[in-house]
Amino acid sequence: MTTETLSKTILHENVTVGESGHLCFAGVDTVRLAEKYGTPLLLIDEDRIRARCREYKAAMEKYLPSGSEPLYASKALCFCEIYRIMKSEDMSTDIVSPGELATAVAAEFPTERAYFHGNNKTDADIRFAMESGVGYFIVDGAEELDRVDAEAGRLGIKQKILLRITPGIDPHTHAKISTGRVDSKFGSAIETGAALSITRAALCRQNVELCGFHCHIGSQIFETKPFADAADIMIGFIADVRRALGYEAGTLNLGGGFGVRYTEQDPEISIEKNIEIIAEHIKRACAEHGVAVPRILLEPGRSLVADAGMTVYTVGGVKEIPGFRSYVSVDGGMTDNPRYTLYQSRYTAVLANRADAPADFECTVGGRCCESGDLLGEGMMIARPERGDLLAVLVTGAYNYSMASNYNRVCRPPVVILRGGADRLGVRRETYRELLSCDI
Ligand code: LLP
């Protein structure tokens, strides 16, 4: 890449400014895409997702024992075409609900490569997943273990399972996305003895095959230390289990959580480097505890899809309140991206039709819902917009479309997939007829 192109890159190298001053994503003019598909519009850079999958797979093959692999945590971005992309990249997947499973099945994703999560799987969910041939259940607690065993017995199969363990790690991320602490609705804690007791129970069940353990400490984590700490604790647990029960786990799933760069202030992490560091740590801990290095699984969601996304909105107007602030209204908001409302997550925004104009206007970007908290960001720096301008919010691939809602009866935006300069619909825009389709 030449220095000239580099100097025109914004935040990530798939976001560039074209000759016309238009913002380009994955090499495609976003103004043209907004004209073609309307706004709000979610764009997905398919090659970026594929490149990230390959980066994870190559690093895990290089630094970890054979059979180690990434599972795509599909809660981050879920629709049929994503599962087709994952299938063609030879990826396994983490699903967390029967709805995600139904989507994977509709996309003909091989269900034996699906790992079924969730802290409260209903009897119907368990049956549906088993009948669909889900490869692994991540069993969250004792009652679920009993139900999975009973259902597998009824179907005459031996269901492979991992047990979800809470290692007691606080990764210092936002409290709502931190999940590995003892005080969590997920999993069985080592500290309380629950983890050992569910392991004992699982080993006695006839219709399940215990393959190993799982933990997930949280999301949007930039350091490797929390993962290394989690690995230490989990490997210590594997050793304790071997001592107490004579069982040595062959698989250790360390969950997802690598952070991504949303703003200039965020660092950019190297997936390969992170995996190398964590792998070194795992090997050292296994040697210390005298256990064989297990097959390692990771469950990246955000870091596979976040910077493969961009949302384009149309500006409706600017309201300046002297002595307070300036509001820029767009035709989407918390219904397509609830992350600022929920977690005060910061984003970078750019005027797509004047991407080369200086970003010297500080504003709060508000959505169209009848709710003051419906904001996409505060203190955002963009070029001063006018009604009709296009505002692009970057890095919206993860936990935007998958967390979208119909609050205020707003229709969900379409998802347009970009690849090799071409664009195609992944999900079309929702219609009012569809909004009403369940109403009696
Ligand atoms: N595995 C498990 C068991 C998880 O619970 C999660 C995310 C992942 C993997 C994927 O984590 P990632 O690599 O994406 O960090 N809605 C929040 C994020 C919630 C994450 C929930 N679990 C957000 O928008 O930040």
Side-chain angles (χ1 to χ4, degrees):
M1 195 178 273
T2 64
T3 343
E4 195 192 300
T5 356
L6 261 184
S7 67
K8 289 184 179 174
T9 292
I10 304 176
L11 207 60
H12 292 284
E13 71 259 21
N14 57 353
V15 184
T16 52
V17 182
E19 295 293 310
S20 51
H22 291 179
L23 191 68
C24 295
F25 191 46
V28 187
D29 183 332
T30 59
V31 175
R32 189 180 65 70
L33 291 167
E35 275 162 16
K36 179 169 174 184
Y37 295 100
T39 59
L41 169 64
L42 176 61
L43 302 173
I44 294 294
D45 174 357
E46 179 173 347
D47 285 324
R48 186 75 162 191
I49 296 179
R50 290 181 180 273
R52 294 283 193 226
C53 291
R54 289 171 200 181
E55 210 178 334
Y56 264 101
K57 278 178 84 92
M60 293 186 75
E61 271 162 32
K62 184 165 167 195
Y63 298 112
L64 290 163
S66 115
S68 299
E69 61 166 347
L71 323 176
Y72 168 54
S74 52
K75 73 206 77 179
L77 180 66
C78 187
F79 51 89
C80 286
E81 196 65 0
I82 288 293
Y83 287 110
R84 292 188 196 110
I85 294 170
M86 291 301 161
K87 180 178 169 183
S88 84
E89 286 298 323
D90 195 31
M91 292 282 289
S92 292
T93 191
D94 146 358
I95 53 166
V96 77
S97 72
E100 288 182 357
L101 174 58
T103 311
V105 168
E108 295 179 1
F109 185 86
T111 49
E112 69 278 8
R113 298 195 63 175
Y115 289 68
F116 187 25
H117 275 274
N119 67 302
N120 183 13
K121 303 176 186 77
T122 67
D123 293 358
D125 297 347
I126 292 170
R127 179 166 301 188
F128 173 46
M130 255 177 232
E131 285 172 350
S132 306
V134 159
Y136 294 80
F137 275 63
I138 314 277
V139 172
D140 206 86
E143 295 101 324
E144 182 188 331
L145 177 64
D146 290 342
R147 286 308 310 159
V148 168
D149 182 55
E151 191 59 29
R154 201 185 64 81
L155 291 173
I157 60 166
K158 197 146 182 137
Q159 178 64 54
K160 289 189 203 145
I161 64 165
L162 300 178
L163 293 175
R164 179 157 182 168
I165 305 298
T166 27
I169 298 271
D170 186 348
H172 302 295
T173 183
H174 192 287
K176 285 187 196 161
I177 57 176
S178 156
T179 42
R181 297 173 306 179
V182 173
D183 179 7
S184 163
K185 70 170 180 167
F186 299 103
S188 309
I190 297 175
E191 254 177 87
T192 61
L196 188 61
S197 97
I198 193 171
T199 307
R200 184 178 290 112
L203 290 169
C204 300
R205 296 293 183 274
Q206 297 300 306
N207 309 306
V208 300
E209 178 190 343
L210 178 61
C211 299
F213 301 112
H214 168 279
C215 71
H216 169 79
I217 53 173
S219 202
Q220 184 64 351
I221 303 168
F222 287 104
E223 306 82 40
T224 50
K225 188 166 183 310
F227 296 102
D229 290 350
D232 266 347
I233 293 170
M234 294 298 288
I235 291 160
F237 178 66
I238 290 174
D240 289 346
V241 166
R242 192 183 57 184
R243 256 189 308 278
L245 308 172
Y247 163 80
E248 187 166 327
T251 299
L252 175 59
N253 181 335
L254 290 173
F258 287 5
V260 307
R261 187 162 201 247
Y262 287 98
T263 67
E264 296 283 353
Q265 285 73 48
D266 293 329
E268 175 131 52
I269 64 165
S270 153
I271 291 167
E272 178 178 354
K273 193 81 208 147
N274 265 22
I275 289 173
E276 184 185 359
I277 294 168
I278 296 164
E280 277 312 305
H281 207 89
I282 290 170
K283 288 176 200 157
R284 208 175 318 125
C286 286
E288 275 165 26
H289 289 281
V291 296
V293 182
R295 171 174 92 109
I296 300 293
L297 303 176
L298 295 176
E299 293 173 334
R302 191 190 308 273
S303 53
L304 286 181
V305 297
D307 63 18
M310 174 189 286
T311 309
V312 185
Y313 303 96
T314 300
V315 172
V318 181
K319 172 179 172 175
E320 284 174 74
I321 312 175
F324 291 89
R325 58 166 115 186
S326 301
Y327 284 92
V328 170
S329 294
V330 296
D331 57 353
M334 67 186 285
T335 47
D336 58 85
N337 180 2
R339 298 193 68 256
Y340 188 78
T341 306
L342 281 173
Y343 323 116
Q344 298 74 52
S345 304
R346 298 188 66 81
Y347 283 93
T348 303
V350 183
L351 278 198
N353 52 319
R354 286 190 281 123
D356 47 1
D360 53 8
F361 182 66
E362 183 176 340
C363 61
T364 292
V365 177
R368 60 191 302 196
C369 281
C370 193
E371 169 141 349
S372 340
D374 172 19
L375 304 176
L376 290 172
E378 291 168 282
M380 295 183 102
M381 295 304 297
I382 58 174
R384 196 178 204 296
E386 285 171 9
R387 185 176 174 88
D389 277 337
L390 296 171
L391 185 73
V393 176
L394 314 190
V395 196
T396 56
Y399 304 112
N400 275 223
Y401 184 75
S402 64
M403 293 177 74
S405 77
N406 291 126
Y407 182 44
N408 284 189
R409 288 288 202 183
V410 172
C411 292
R412 272 170 249 244
V415 182
V416 168
I417 302 176
L418 308 175
R419 188 169 199 208
D423 52 275
R424 70 178 194 280
L425 270 178
V427 184
R428 59 171 174 71
R429 189 180 299 284
E430 206 170 21
T431 63
Y432 295 127
R433 183 187 287 271
E434 282 153 353
L435 271 185
L436 289 161
S437 63
C438 296
D439 291 17
I440 307 300

